[in-house]
């Protein structure tokens, strides 16, 4: 352990060490000095990762129009967005769910702005012969009544139920509108993102899951059997309400917005902004 | 006069800084309890721990953590079943069988496995392992207990191998030579003399591996399917399963603040903390017993004396120093009396199993010693081969698939279209910022603490308390740091999701490594150097600054490099405190969030469809970054013949 040490090597080591240290300190310290674009107005937007893709696309278009605008967008989840806007650490919060009673009590002055809708699409593996299901069948699958695809008109294949984590706004909506607040089967595998579910379903022949409209590549989107007719989930059917599963997405502000925050929200609600919503594969508001 | 004043002042400052570790531990535990106690009150302690249904979002929410606790233990147990034979075999091979040249290659290779970030393992598991399990075993779904255990086994391999190899190497040469002189074969010597001589160290190695397996979040979360059920039957390794860490990882971001669910997650963190601290406490107890009734000894460099048991004890102290869990000693008991019972049990259990296997020999060899040796060496070599194959498969898989994605554009541009196009430049810089900040916080505090412990005070109740705190910090799962950072820095102090919150969280996480490695480096400086300095009239601080610190630098540097590697690869501590999904610009202040490579990889893998190239590219960049840092540490050690610090 205590081998002979050579002073020269020691000096080199010390030098290298000091060098590394200085480098990292510089990296940590120089942050304050850069990017101080003069006379720019900026707002911070944070919250739901479901809403984030919309906010991000809108920002690109908005900033192209107003060169002095600087909108910083981060994720973290609906709760982070609600908390941040309630506490005033962000100017705008993003949420894929309505405020919970606890949150309304904490932050009574939060104002919701519905900016788009998100559909809930049932997806299965592309090899799965099943094309459409009724809401009752879907409920039966997710509460564990059906365990094999041959019980709902498919081939003999065990059903792998895939859902979102229990804190997810998407799951809450699905639970209220499809499950009628009944329990999910305890064998449901849980992922914390749309992409996770899509990936799982695309790789697992017997899997079924639910995702937003933007996550249907590589998997088969099921048609819903409503009142005897099969409804394909498309922008049109979702927008006119024939496809029954969609929910609102919100931006939140503390009190009525002003300044840049107001301009940004107004831009999203404008015709141009709603076109961007559609391009990002979300459902624009009815005009 | 002036000199002396400065000297005293510096001593006082170091003392104050050294108390930081204790403060940090109390603070973290207090904060988790503050947010977690309500669930124990509302649901009842027994209903929370023993309840079999985890359904926080049902019409009648139920918070039963029992399936999660069972899941955590099952995943860990199967991981150990896979990892222990492989790593003990590798340890024996490296310590006893390998030629020096082979040893010089295999040892760092195994240690490199430790450097692969857990999100890379998770990515690998999600892409390849779960599919392989589904197809190979004809299961409907590959996300399973088995997948989680295989990943955890691979992740705990390097820890167990390194510590076990230390223990085996520390068995005095005379023991083996005596056995060979009596006519025993090499294998008989290993089996009957060397391994039994090291078995306490091996037990400790296994328990440390268990600690790592229990605390792991990201890899497990990505492959186990996260269904909160107890497998039915209990041996159904293809059942999906959910761990405590996984629950925190997937539910924390979206949970409503102040809701019962929120408190339940902190309750989960408290249970997790309790389990990991128990397991690490067990390792401490075992190693402490090796030291016998001597209690704590501050081994002086001149302490090694020739001959028999005395020498063995000193050598064992040497191992103990590398794993200062050992120094937990009596203070640990006083600190959290609750923690005592489980570690004793675990320690007994592991000890029992190890001694039955190696000492009591339930199965007598019926082979000729020579063929027994052939078979044994065959199996041992096989275990090394398996370990190296795993390393090869993971590395080559990522390099082959990732190399295509790497381009100048990928390295220097911002991501577009949610990371499907453009590059990862902000993530690379963000990672450097995070690591740099963490180091700027942890390095001064860590070095000052170590200086105080080694140079400024003798062994007493206070230093034992500080060391206990350092060990407790070291044993905490990274997701617990993440949760603390989230509850305290992001919410309580209202920093928001920001660079500074991430830097402080990571700084706390790497602090124990820096303290431990610095302590070790300082201890290795012979007393004669200090005495020489005093003899020419230097003060304490002058001695420390001019005589002790310079030769200790390579050791401190190794610690710092390892910390950089760990901080750069961790996802769990930053996912709620500092990291963002996508950002076009670099942060312009400490209060802004950043992109980071591990989080970017996690999001690309689990959230963004159609970004396969970018996934592999990001994995490769992250892997290269972290592995080159680890390689640097190994080179530094090799160059200075520095003792292992993994």
């Amino acid at each position: 352990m205590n081998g002979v040490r050579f002073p020269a090597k020691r000096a080199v080591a010390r030098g290298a060490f000091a060098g590394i240290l200085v480098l990292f300190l510089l990296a940590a310290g120089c942050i304050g000095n850069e990017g101080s674009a003069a006379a720019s107005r900026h707002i911070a937007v944070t919250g739901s990762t479901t809403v984030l893709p919309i906010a991000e696309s809108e920002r690109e278009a908005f900033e192209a129009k107003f060169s002095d605008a600087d909108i910083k967008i981060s994720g973290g989840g609906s709760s982070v967005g609600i908390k941040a806007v309630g506490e005033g650490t962000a100017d705008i919060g993003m949420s894929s769910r309505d405020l919970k009673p606890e949150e309304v009590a904490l932050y009574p002055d939060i104002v919701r702005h519905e900016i788009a809708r998100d559909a809930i699409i049932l997806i299965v593996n592309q090899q799965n012969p099943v094309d459409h299901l009724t809401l009752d069948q879907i409920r039966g699958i997710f509460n564990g009544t059906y365990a094999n695809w041959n019980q709902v008109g498919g081939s003999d294949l065990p059903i792998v139920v895939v859902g979102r984590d229990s804190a997810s706004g998407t799951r809450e909506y699905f639970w209220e509108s499809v499950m009628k607040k009944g329990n999910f089967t305890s064998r449901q595998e849980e992922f914390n993102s749309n992409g996770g579910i899509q990936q799982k379903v695309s790789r697992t022949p017997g899997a079924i899951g639910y995702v937003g409209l933007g996550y249907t590549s590589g998997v088969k989107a099921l048609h819903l059997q409503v009142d005897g007719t099969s409804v394909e989930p498309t922008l049109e059917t979702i927008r006119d309400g024939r496809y029954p599963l969609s929910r609102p997405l919100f931006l939140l502000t503390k009190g009525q917005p002003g300044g840049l925050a107001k301009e940004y929200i107004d831009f999203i609600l404008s015709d141009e902004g709603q076109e961007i919503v559609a391009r990002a594969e979300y459902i624009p508001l009815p005009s | 006069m002036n000199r002396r004043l400065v000297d005293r002042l510096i001593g006082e400052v170091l003392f104050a800084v050294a108390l930081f570790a204790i403060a940090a531990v109390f603070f973290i535990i207090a904060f988790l309890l503050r947010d977690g106690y309500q669930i124990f009150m509302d649901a009842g302690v027994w209903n929370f721990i023993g309840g079999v249904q985890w359904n926080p979002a049902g019409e009648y929410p139920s918070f039963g953590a029992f399936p999660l606790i069972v899941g955590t233990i099952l995943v860990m147990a199967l991981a150990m079943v896979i990892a222990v034979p492989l790593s003990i075999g590798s340890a024996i091979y490296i310590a006893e069988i390998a030629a020096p040249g082979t040893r010089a290659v295999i040892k760092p290779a195994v240690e490199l496995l430790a450097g692969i970030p857990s999100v890379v393992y998770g990515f690998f598991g999600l892409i390849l392992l779960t599919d392989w399990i589904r197809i190979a075993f004809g299961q409907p779904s590959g996300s399973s207990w088995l997948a989680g255990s295989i990943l955890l086994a691979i992740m705990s391999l390097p820890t167990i191998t390194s510590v076990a190899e230390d223990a085996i190497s520390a068995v005095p040469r005379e023991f083996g030579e005596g056995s060979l002189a009596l006519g025993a074969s090499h294998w008989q010597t290993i089996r009957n003399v060397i391994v039994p001589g090291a078995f306490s160290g091996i037990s400790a190695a296994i328990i440390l591996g268990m600690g790592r397996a229990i605390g792991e979040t990201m890899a497990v979360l990505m492959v186990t399917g996260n269904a909160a059920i107890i497998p039915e039957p209990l041996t159904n390794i293809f059942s999906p399963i959910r761990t405590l860490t996984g629950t925190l990882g997937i539910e924390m971001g979206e949970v409503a603040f102040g809701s019962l669910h929120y408190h339940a997650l902190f309750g989960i963190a408290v249970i997790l903390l309790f389990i990991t601290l128990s397991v690490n406490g067990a390792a401490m107890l075992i190693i402490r017993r090796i030291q016998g009734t001597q209690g704590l000894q501050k081994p002086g460099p001149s302490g090694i004396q020739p001959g028999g048991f005395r020498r063995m004890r000193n050598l064992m102290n040497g191992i103990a120093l590398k794993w200062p869990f050992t120094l937990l000693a009596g203070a640990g008991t006083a600190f959290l009396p609750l923690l005592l019972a489980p570690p004793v049990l675990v320690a007994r259990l592991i000890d029992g199993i190890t001694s039955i296997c190696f000492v009591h020999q339930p199965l007598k060899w019926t082979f000729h010693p020579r063929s027994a040796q052939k078979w044994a060496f065959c199996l041992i070599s096989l275990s090394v081969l398996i370990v190296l194959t795993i390393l090869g498969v993971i590395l080559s898989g990522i390099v082959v698939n990732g190399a295509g994605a790497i381009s100048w554009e990928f390295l220097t541009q911002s991501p577009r279209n949610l990371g499907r196009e453009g590059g990862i430049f902000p993530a690379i810089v963000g990672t450097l910022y995070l690591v740099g900040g963490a180091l700027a916080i942890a390095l001064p505090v860590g070095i000052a603490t170590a200086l105080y412990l080694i140079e400024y005070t003798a062994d007493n109740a206070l230093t034992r308390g500080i060391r206990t705190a350092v060990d407790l910090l070291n044993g905490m799962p990274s997701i617990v740091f993440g949760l603390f950072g989230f509850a305290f820095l992001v919410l309580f102090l209202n920093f928001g999701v920001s660079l500074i919150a991430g830097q402080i969280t990571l700084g706390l996480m790497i602090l124990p490594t820096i303290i431990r490695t610095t302590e070790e480096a300082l201890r290795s400086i012979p007393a004669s150097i200090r005495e020489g300095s005093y003899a020419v009239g230097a003060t304490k601080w002058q001695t420390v600054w001019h005589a002790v610190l310079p030769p200790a630098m390579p050791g401190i540097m190794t610690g710092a490099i390892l910390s950089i590697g760990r901080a750069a690869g961790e996802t769990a501590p930053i996912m709620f405190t500092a990291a963002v999904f996508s950002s076009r610009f670099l942060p312009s202040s400490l209060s802004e969030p950043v992109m980071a490579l591990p989080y970017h990889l996690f999001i690309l893998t689990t959230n963004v469809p159609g970004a396969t190239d970018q996934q592999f590219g990001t994995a490769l960049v992250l892997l290269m970054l972290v592995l080159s840092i680890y390689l640097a540490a190994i080179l530094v050690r090799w160059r200075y013949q520095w003792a292992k610090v993994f």
Side-chain angles (χ1 to χ4, degrees):
Chain A
M1 217 186 228
N2 302 318
V4 181
R5 290 167 201 280
F6 301 98
K9 283 186 185 171
R10 212 187 295 150
V12 170
R14 272 174 85 182
F17 182 67
I20 291 174
L21 200 60
V22 165
L23 204 77
F24 275 102
L25 286 175
L26 277 180
C30 69
I31 293 162
N33 305 329
E34 69 180 61
S36 50
S40 76
R41 306 177 298 154
H42 79 268
I43 51 171
V45 182
T46 188
S48 161
T49 50
T50 309
V51 189
L52 191 134
I54 303 180
E56 188 77 17
S57 319
E58 299 282 356
R59 177 190 66 102
E60 282 181 23
F62 185 77
E63 286 179 354
K65 268 190 147 174
F66 303 92
S67 55
D68 65 335
D70 180 18
I71 298 171
K72 301 219 174 269
I73 300 176
S74 56
S78 298
S79 302
V80 173
I82 293 165
K83 167 87 180 172
V85 76
E87 300 281 347
T89 46
D91 304 272
I92 299 178
M94 302 181 280
S95 177
S96 64
R97 60 171 171 82
D98 213 337
L99 272 66
K100 300 248 165 87
E102 299 99 328
E103 290 163 335
V104 175
L106 261 176
Y107 314 114
D109 51 351
I110 287 184
V111 179
R112 303 171 319 171
H113 309 268
E114 186 179 336
I115 54 161
R117 296 185 75 81
D118 186 24
I120 307 286
I121 312 290
L122 273 297
I123 55 171
V124 294
N125 192 274
Q126 279 176 330
Q127 297 168 21
N128 195 324
V130 173
D131 287 320
H132 52 79
L133 292 171
T134 67
L135 282 177
D136 285 337
Q137 284 174 320
I138 293 169
R139 183 164 50 246
I141 288 172
F142 277 87
N143 70 20
T145 310
Y146 305 123
N148 194 302
W149 282 106
N150 60 20
Q151 291 170 290
V152 291
S155 46
D156 178 19
L157 186 69
I159 298 177
V160 177
V161 177
V162 185
R164 290 289 303 275
D165 59 283
S166 49
S168 143
T170 312
R171 165 156 156 169
E172 190 175 325
Y173 175 78
F174 186 84
W175 175 68
E176 282 172 0
S177 55
V178 179
M179 302 300 289
K180 311 283 184 221
K181 302 201 174 186
N183 280 343
F184 288 96
T185 166
S186 60
R187 292 197 58 84
Q188 167 174 260
E189 293 187 17
E190 294 186 13
F191 289 80
N192 64 343
S193 61
N194 281 320
I197 292 181
Q198 180 207 28
Q199 201 159 35
K200 175 77 192 175
V201 172
S202 71
R203 290 164 171 274
T204 313
I208 180 169
Y210 52 89
V211 292
L213 185 61
Y215 295 87
T216 52
S217 60
V219 290
K220 181 153 77 174
L222 286 181
H223 300 195
L224 277 187
Q225 197 82 6
V226 186
D227 301 330
T229 53
S230 172
V231 182
E232 183 184 0
T234 62
L235 266 182
E236 200 183 321
T237 58
I238 297 163
R239 211 170 169 181
D240 66 19
R242 270 183 290 156
Y243 185 87
L245 302 177
S246 75
R247 61 173 173 152
L249 300 177
F250 300 104
L251 292 189
L252 311 169
T253 53
K254 191 170 184 155
Q256 288 300 333
L260 189 59
K262 180 171 166 47
E263 288 172 42
Y264 178 63
I265 293 175
D266 286 347
F267 176 77
I268 297 176
L269 294 174
S270 70
D271 289 347
E272 189 184 348
Q274 290 295 305
E275 264 173 48
I276 295 171
V277 166
R279 247 182 284 138
E281 299 202 70
Y282 289 82
I283 318 303
L285 297 171
S287 45
Chain B
M1 188 61 209
N2 209 2
R3 270 190 351 165
R4 223 178 261 164
L5 196 69
V6 169
D7 209 40
R8 252 188 74 185
L9 214 65
I10 288 174
E12 297 298 324
V13 169
L14 290 180
F15 169 67
V17 174
L19 288 181
F20 180 80
I22 291 188
V25 168
F26 270 114
F27 220 60
I28 290 176
I29 293 176
F31 239 82
L32 294 180
L33 283 175
R34 170 180 172 270
D35 275 324
Y37 85 98
Q38 201 176 332
I39 187 70
F40 290 100
M41 297 293 115
D42 275 28
V45 174
W46 177 245
N47 283 340
F48 183 57
I49 296 174
V52 292
Q53 208 186 12
W54 177 259
N55 183 15
E59 174 129 52
Y60 306 101
S62 54
F63 300 96
F66 192 64
L68 315 182
I69 298 172
V70 171
T72 300
I73 292 171
L74 289 181
V75 170
M76 183 270 291
L78 182 61
M80 288 303 113
V81 168
I82 301 168
V84 166
L86 288 178
S87 43
I88 305 285
S90 305
I92 293 175
Y93 184 84
I94 294 171
E96 288 292 324
I97 299 174
T102 325
R103 181 187 151 104
V105 174
I106 292 180
K107 206 169 136 89
V110 170
E111 285 164 356
L112 270 190
L113 270 173
I116 300 179
S118 72
V119 65
V120 172
Y121 281 114
F123 169 67
F124 171 81
L126 194 68
I127 300 290
L128 294 175
L129 186 63
T130 51
D131 263 10
W132 175 75
I133 288 177
R134 181 175 64 77
I135 294 161
F137 298 98
Q139 294 296 315
S141 167
S143 304
S144 58
W145 172 10
L146 179 64
S149 289
I150 291 177
L151 277 194
L152 283 184
I154 300 173
M155 296 177 79
S156 47
L157 265 173
T159 309
I160 305 178
T161 307
S162 295
V163 185
E165 194 257 333
D166 268 359
I168 293 170
S169 300
V171 174
R173 265 185 80 84
E174 297 91 321
F175 288 21
E177 284 164 358
S179 165
L180 291 173
L182 287 172
S185 72
H186 192 181
W187 170 240
Q188 285 171 325
T189 303
I190 292 173
R191 181 179 152 73
N192 300 321
V193 177
I194 293 177
V195 172
F199 89 89
S200 281
I202 294 176
S203 306
I206 295 171
I207 296 177
L208 288 170
M210 284 165 58
R212 165 115 212 230
I214 291 175
E216 174 50 43
T217 307
M218 303 316 288
V220 172
L221 152 76
M222 288 161 89
V223 301
T224 55
N226 298 313
I229 50 172
I230 298 170
E232 229 173 287
L234 204 58
T235 50
N236 180 10
I237 54 174
F238 300 110
S239 165
I241 210 166
R242 179 195 276 226
T243 64
L244 294 165
T245 51
T247 305
L248 295 178
I250 65 171
E251 292 183 2
M252 202 61 218
E254 290 277 344
V255 71
F257 295 101
S259 65
L260 204 54
H261 188 183
Y262 178 81
H263 294 300
L265 290 183
F266 279 88
I268 295 281
V270 171
I271 297 176
L272 177 65
L273 199 61
F274 179 79
I275 295 177
T276 42
L277 294 186
S278 304
V279 167
N280 285 327
M284 173 275 291
L285 281 178
I286 287 186
I287 304 183
R288 205 177 115 217
R289 209 186 37 221
I290 306 173
Q291 292 174 302
T293 48
Q294 279 182 314
L296 291 158
Q297 258 195 352
K298 195 175 172 185
S302 56
I304 294 176
Q305 290 170 13
F309 285 104
R310 186 64 189 273
R311 172 149 184 227
M312 182 170 164
R313 265 201 202 129
N314 277 311
L315 281 162
M316 289 301 180
N317 267 333
I319 312 170
L321 293 178
K322 284 183 199 129
W323 294 95
F325 291 109
T326 55
L327 301 168
L328 217 70
T333 339
F335 192 78
L336 281 175
L338 263 178
L339 288 181
L340 196 64
V344 171
L345 276 178
V346 179
R348 278 279 136 79
L349 194 72
I350 299 284
D351 249 23
I353 294 171
T354 322
S355 63
I356 285 169
C357 291
F358 287 112
V359 181
H360 300 304
Q361 309 182 7
L363 304 164
K364 288 273 180 222
W365 285 112
T366 48
F367 299 113
H368 186 272
R370 200 168 295 151
S371 56
Q373 168 157 329
K374 212 193 278 169
W375 280 109
F377 282 12
C378 235
L379 285 176
I380 288 173
S381 309
L382 189 68
S383 64
V384 176
L385 219 73
I386 292 175
V387 172
L388 292 180
T389 312
I390 293 169
L391 181 69
V393 166
I394 295 178
L395 289 184
S396 61
I398 289 169
V399 169
V400 167
N401 289 297
I406 306 279
S407 64
W408 184 243
E409 189 204 351
F410 188 69
L411 293 176
T412 56
Q413 291 203 350
S414 299
R416 290 191 311 276
N417 193 4
L418 300 177
R420 290 189 197 99
E421 294 162 40
I424 54 170
F425 181 65
I428 298 175
V429 176
T431 296
L432 292 179
Y433 281 173
L434 282 171
V435 172
L439 210 57
I441 293 163
L443 207 54
V445 176
I447 293 179
T449 305
L451 278 178
Y452 177 75
L453 288 175
I454 300 294
E455 303 293 334
Y456 278 80
T457 179
D459 184 47
N460 59 32
L462 185 66
T463 56
R464 280 196 297 269
I466 294 172
R467 289 197 168 103
T468 308
V470 171
D471 296 333
L472 288 178
L473 266 185
N474 194 53
M476 284 184 191
S478 57
I479 186 101
V480 169
F481 285 102
L483 223 55
F484 167 75
F486 181 64
F488 180 63
L489 302 169
V490 175
L491 299 182
F492 188 77
L493 295 184
N494 232 334
F495 283 2
V497 175
S498 60
L499 188 52
I500 183 76
Q503 288 170 334
I504 295 176
T505 309
L506 286 176
L508 275 178
M509 189 189 77
I510 61 175
L511 185 61
T513 313
I514 291 182
I515 295 177
R516 281 162 42 163
T517 45
T518 308
E519 267 195 275
E520 229 186 290
L522 293 174
R523 271 207 194 87
S524 73
I525 307 303
S528 54
I529 289 189
R530 298 182 182 88
E531 285 153 9
S533 171
Y534 291 136
V536 296
T539 62
K540 183 126 202 161
W541 176 245
Q542 284 172 328
T543 304
V544 167
W545 187 249
H546 295 288
V548 178
L549 269 182
M553 264 307 158
I556 299 174
M557 194 165 135
T558 315
I561 293 173
L562 286 175
S563 308
I564 296 173
R566 170 133 195 247
E570 276 287 358
T571 314
I574 57 170
M575 64 192 285
F576 309 124
T577 55
V580 287
F581 192 75
S582 91
S583 131
R584 203 164 61 167
F585 301 107
L586 300 177
S588 58
S589 83
L590 286 174
S591 63
E592 282 177 37
V594 286
M595 284 181 75
L597 283 172
Y599 185 69
H600 190 65
L601 176 59
F602 176 65
I603 290 295
L604 280 184
T605 313
T606 60
N607 226 328
V608 181
T612 316
D613 277 358
Q614 285 74 15
Q615 287 168 12
F616 276 108
T618 310
L620 181 59
V621 171
L622 177 60
L623 197 66
M624 286 300 136
L625 184 75
V626 175
L627 287 191
S628 54
I629 292 169
Y630 269 70
L631 206 60
I634 290 171
L635 287 178
V636 167
R637 183 189 62 197
W638 175 68
R639 171 124 182 172
Y640 291 95
Q641 290 299 300
W642 183 254
K644 212 168 32 260
V645 279
F646 279 97

